[in-house]
Amino acid sequence: MLPSLFRTSECALWLRLSTAGVLSAAMVRLMKSGAADALFLHPLVEQTAPVAWAFVLPLTLYCFLGITVRRDVRSHPSLARPSFEHGGMALISTGLLLLLSLWLLHPTPAHFAALQSFGMRFPVIGDPLLNALVGVILLVPTLPLPLLTLPPSLLLRHRTSMLLGLLSIIGFLLFPVLEALYFGVTGPPLVAAVQWLLGWLPGSPPADLSRWQVGYGDFSATVGYACTELSSVTLFLGLLCIALLSLRRTQSISPFRVVVTMLLGIVLLWLLNVLRIAAIVIIGSYHRTFALTLFHSGIGLILFLLFFAVFIRLSLPFVRKKE
């Protein structure tokens, strides 16, 4: 049954990438544990970000690599093995990068104080940027692992796709930084708009609300980074680009109207987010648990899907270039 679903070369590809994934998990585990502390004078730096991402990101990169080269691999009856020289160079590179990462993860007191000082000087982006830095340090030693199992010629033919995949992973690590910057710009008007909208309702907001709090009745909530919904804006732009590229294959589109459409979509998403937060606060004044759990996590996705479906339906005819 298995040979009918996968060619032998493709089975070998996923088996080798799985081996690289196991090795990467072991390396990340080593770097995040105190097993190598005896080799260094200073203690290990701990992340405040979720620990699981350090293990998931290399696996995601290898999965992307497998999907990219799969068609090329299937055109050959077997998958070549890397030569002894290439395998040795990859092994040495992995070992050196592992030592470098371990050294960077055990900074001197002076370097650690400098990192803390940076975080205190830039409180908005300091913590997410330092978490992204640690994430990159944990990722770097896992990058040469595919060279231990796959022929370099195969990876060289797909170097552009591999680079895009790596940049996507780094972009994911830096996304909280962008979210913090986005919150610094859009957060104050977002809070002000929600408070203004709630002010039209009967009743009064709770007393002593802070700068980042909104409330109605006896319920109040703090607006944080995730409330700005930068992820929804990013997803919206990505899906819109996919739809426009698909449309461009059959019809001409106006670049000016595309820009107008994107800007209009971002503004409408911001207004939709104001309504979402206001609805959460209103429901929270009657049922706090429901507002902060099911309604808070589910309503954003539902509203986004409805908004995107309607917006695409109405905007695609607008972006077509008139003859």
Side-chain angles (χ1 to χ4, degrees), residues 282-302:
I282 295 172
I283 293 177
S285 65
Y286 295 98
H287 200 295
R288 180 183 183 88
T289 303
F290 177 69
L292 294 179
T293 54
L294 181 62
F295 190 79
H296 181 272
S297 58
I299 193 63
L301 178 60
I302 295 174

Side-chain angles (χ1 to χ4, degrees), residues 7 9-11 13 69-79 154 157-158:
R7 294 178 182 270
S9 56
E10 188 177 351
C11 289
L13 169 67
V69 306
R70 185 170 69 98
R71 181 173 297 181
D72 191 357
V73 169
R74 293 185 67 181
S75 63
H76 299 84
S78 61
L79 181 62
L154 176 66
R157 286 197 297 271
H158 298 275

Side-chain angles (χ1 to χ4, degrees), residues 243-302:
L244 292 174
L245 288 175
S246 178
L247 178 65
R248 190 171 179 269
R249 295 172 183 171
T250 58
Q251 302 184 43
S252 298
I253 60 177
S254 169
F256 173 76
R257 293 190 175 190
V258 168
V259 174
V260 172
T261 300
M262 289 183 173
L263 294 177
L264 178 62
I266 293 174
V267 172
L268 292 177
L269 268 178
W270 187 85
L271 294 175
L272 185 64
N273 193 33
V274 171
L275 295 176
R276 180 186 73 91
I277 297 175
I280 292 173
V281 174
I282 295 172
I283 293 177
S285 65
Y286 295 98
H287 200 295
R288 180 183 183 88
T289 303
F290 177 69
L292 294 179
T293 54
L294 181 62
F295 190 79
H296 181 272
S297 58
I299 193 63
L301 178 60
I302 295 174

Side-chain angles (χ1 to χ4, degrees), residues 2-308:
L2 187 60
S4 64
L5 296 176
F6 298 98
R7 294 178 182 270
T8 305
S9 56
E10 188 177 351
C11 289
L13 169 67
W14 291 113
L15 181 60
R16 296 184 190 184
L17 288 176
S18 298
T19 303
V22 172
L23 292 175
S24 70
M27 291 175 59
V28 172
R29 178 66 179 173
L30 172 65
M31 287 185 285
K32 293 186 69 65
S33 68
D37 287 358
L39 302 176
F40 301 92
L41 299 176
H42 311 293
L44 179 69
V45 171
E46 295 290 342
Q47 279 180 288
T48 58
V51 176
W53 288 118
F55 296 91
V56 173
L57 292 182
L59 298 178
T60 303
L61 187 60
Y62 301 157
C63 184
F64 177 82
L65 173 60
I67 295 173
T68 302
V69 306
R70 185 170 69 98
R71 181 173 297 181
D72 191 357
V73 169
R74 293 185 67 181
S75 63
H76 299 84
S78 61
L79 181 62
R81 297 180 178 179
S83 63
F84 178 79
E85 293 80 6
H86 288 124
M89 291 177 60
L91 184 61
I92 294 173
S93 300
T94 301
L96 292 176
L97 290 175
L98 178 60
L99 290 175
L100 176 62
S101 292
L102 286 170
W103 178 71
L104 293 174
L105 291 173
H106 293 79
T108 64
H111 290 158
F112 185 74
L115 293 175
Q116 285 186 313
S117 175
F118 175 82
M120 295 176 64
R121 287 175 57 194
F122 304 96
V124 175
I125 64 170
D127 187 65
L129 189 59
L130 293 178
N131 274 297
L133 175 62
V134 175
V136 172
I137 292 174
L138 293 171
L139 178 67
V140 165
T142 67
L143 297 180
L145 289 178
L147 291 171
L148 289 173
T149 57
L150 299 178
S153 58
L154 176 66
L155 301 176
L156 188 62
R157 286 197 297 271
H158 298 275
R159 57 186 179 274
T160 302
S161 298
M162 291 173 57
L163 179 60
L164 290 176
L166 178 60
L167 292 177
S168 299
I169 295 295
I170 296 176
F172 175 83
L173 290 171
L174 292 174
F175 188 82
V177 181
L178 301 178
E179 195 172 43
L181 293 172
Y182 184 77
F183 177 76
V185 175
T186 63
L190 177 66
V191 173
V194 174
Q195 291 176 339
W196 176 84
L197 184 61
L198 293 174
W200 286 89
L201 300 176
S204 59
D208 299 328
L209 289 177
S210 69
R211 177 189 179 189
W212 301 109
Q213 284 187 312
V214 293
Y216 178 70
D218 60 349
F219 177 84
S220 63
T222 301
V223 178
Y225 294 167
C227 296
T228 58
E229 291 292 318
L230 176 61
S231 56
S232 295
V233 175
T234 305
L235 181 60
F236 165 76
L237 292 177
L239 293 176
L240 182 61
C241 288
I242 293 174
L244 292 174
L245 288 175
S246 178
L247 178 65
R248 190 171 179 269
R249 295 172 183 171
T250 58
Q251 302 184 43
S252 298
I253 60 177
S254 169
F256 173 76
R257 293 190 175 190
V258 168
V259 174
V260 172
T261 300
M262 289 183 173
L263 294 177
L264 178 62
I266 293 174
V267 172
L268 292 177
L269 268 178
W270 187 85
L271 294 175
L272 185 64
N273 193 33
V274 171
L275 295 176
R276 180 186 73 91
I277 297 175
I280 292 173
V281 174
I282 295 172
I283 293 177
S285 65
Y286 295 98
H287 200 295
R288 180 183 183 88
T289 303
F290 177 69
L292 294 179
T293 54
L294 181 62
F295 190 79
H296 181 272
S297 58
I299 193 63
L301 178 60
I302 295 174
L303 288 176
F304 173 80
L305 293 176
L306 292 175
F307 168 80
F308 183 76

